[in-house]
């Protein structure tokens, strides 16, 4: 005769422990609700609790605000006015940042890119000289590195292409000065990317045989070197 297990009644089933009711909010919690630091100072003032930082005891204590007090303030006309003003300031800041970014990119887009144009044989010789000079300098500061001079005739074609692009890029470092002037300005990262693409496009146009190497560099810059 088959036996059947008794289905536990609802009250017999194990229940997950209830989460403790949150009574206070940190500054991060307030920011997630749309509060700004200025609004916290203006509308809340001093915190209701100060708690030792659980991750670093030497850090400033965490400021906690009563949820009841926060909710009461959020229902006030003062909060609505302050929130609207903060939203306007945020929108204005975003618009200004976008305008600065466009100005920076426009400057980079308008900058004429000039590629040195030595004859092919001369470019190969200059590229190998540049590579050997860097290799000698590396031997001075890198422990265990021994300089290994190369020649145009001994270089593998793809290695020679790399050295040619390295040399041309070295000769075009004046454009890096433009980026230095933009340090800390909104849009600098995008300007750097745009300038890099324009430089490699100019090298590819001046020396079509180096287009593959320029494309490889841009691809690795975006996706990283291939595995292995």
């Amino acid at each position: 005769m088959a036996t059947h297990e008794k289905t536990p009644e609802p009250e017999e089933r194990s229940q997950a422990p209830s989460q403790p009711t949150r009574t206070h909010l940190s500054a991060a919690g307030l920011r997630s609700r749309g509060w700004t630091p200025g609004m916290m100072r203006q509308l809340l003032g001093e915190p209701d609790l100060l708690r030792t930082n659980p991750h670093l005891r030497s850090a400033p204590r965490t400021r906690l605000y009563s949820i009841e007090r926060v909710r009461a303030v959020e229902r006030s006309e003062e909060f609505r006015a302050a929130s609207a003003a903060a939203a306007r300031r945020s929108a204005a800041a975003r618009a200004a940042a976008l305008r600065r970014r466009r100005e920076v990119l426009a400057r980079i887009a308008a900058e004429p890119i000039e590629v040195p144009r030595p004859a092919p044989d001369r470019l190969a010789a200059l590229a190998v000289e540049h590579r050997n000079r860097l290799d000698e300098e590396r031997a001075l500061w890198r422990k265990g590195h021994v300089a290994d001079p190369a020649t145009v005739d001994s270089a593998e074609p793809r290695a020679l292409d790399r050295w040619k692009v390295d040399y041309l890029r070295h000769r075009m470092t004046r454009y890096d000065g433009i980026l230095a002037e933009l340090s800390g300005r909104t849009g600098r990262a995008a300007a750097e990317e745009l300038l890099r693409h324009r430089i490699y496009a100019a090298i590819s146009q001046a020396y079509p045989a180096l287009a593959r190497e320029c494309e490889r560099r841009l691809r690795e810059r975006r996706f990283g070197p291939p595995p292995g």
Side-chain angles (χ1 to χ4, degrees):
M1 182 176 181
T3 60
H4 299 278
E5 295 183 359
K6 179 183 176 181
T7 301
E9 293 299 324
E11 61 270 19
E12 297 177 3
R13 295 172 184 164
S14 60
Q15 296 181 354
S18 60
Q19 296 293 327
T21 303
R22 177 178 293 182
T23 60
H24 291 76
L25 289 170
S26 65
L30 289 172
R31 286 195 296 271
S32 70
R33 297 167 70 97
W35 289 72
T36 66
M39 292 165 62
M40 296 177 206
R41 291 191 300 270
Q42 177 186 348
L43 302 178
L44 291 175
E46 293 300 316
D48 298 292
L49 284 177
L50 289 174
R51 182 168 295 168
T52 301
N53 190 304
H55 305 291
L56 185 62
R57 297 185 66 86
S58 61
R61 289 188 292 177
T62 302
R63 302 162 67 89
L64 298 174
Y65 302 84
S66 165
I67 285 184
E68 291 185 4
R69 189 158 70 93
V70 168
R71 288 172 176 167
V73 172
E74 288 177 344
R75 291 191 294 268
S76 70
E77 185 62 34
E78 290 84 359
F79 177 83
R80 286 190 286 271
S83 182
R88 289 193 297 270
R89 288 193 299 271
S90 179
R94 288 194 299 270
L98 181 59
R99 183 176 64 253
R100 289 192 297 269
R101 184 178 189 274
R102 288 172 175 168
E103 291 171 353
V104 167
L105 292 179
R107 177 181 176 184
I108 295 298
E111 185 70 22
I113 304 295
E114 300 175 1
V115 182
R117 291 176 180 264
D121 290 347
R122 180 59 179 162
L123 174 59
L126 291 170
V128 170
E129 289 177 8
H130 179 67
R131 179 267 174 196
N132 288 341
R133 182 166 59 254
L134 293 179
D135 193 45
E136 291 174 0
E137 294 174 357
R138 193 175 298 113
L140 296 176
W141 57 264
R142 180 180 294 179
K143 184 177 181 180
H145 180 79
V146 178
D148 183 20
T151 65
V152 174
D153 294 334
S154 67
E156 296 180 357
R158 293 185 65 177
L160 189 56
D161 286 348
R162 289 199 304 273
W163 301 342
K164 288 176 181 178
V165 174
D166 284 341
Y167 169 75
L168 292 171
R169 185 67 186 87
H170 171 72
R171 286 285 307 276
M172 300 167 74
T173 51
R174 79 174 186 85
Y175 297 107
D176 296 336
I178 299 174
L179 295 177
E181 296 175 12
L182 302 175
S183 179
R185 293 189 59 183
T186 301
R188 188 189 187 284
E192 184 176 359
E193 187 70 13
L194 175 60
L195 180 59
R196 183 181 300 109
H197 276 78
R198 292 198 64 209
I199 286 174
Y200 285 131
I203 292 175
S204 297
Q205 184 176 6
Y207 298 94
L210 299 179
R212 181 179 178 183
E213 171 61 18
C214 292
E215 292 170 0
R216 181 192 68 81
R217 293 182 181 219
L218 291 173
R219 184 171 58 252
E220 289 193 1
R221 179 78 184 187
R222 183 176 181 184
F223 301 108

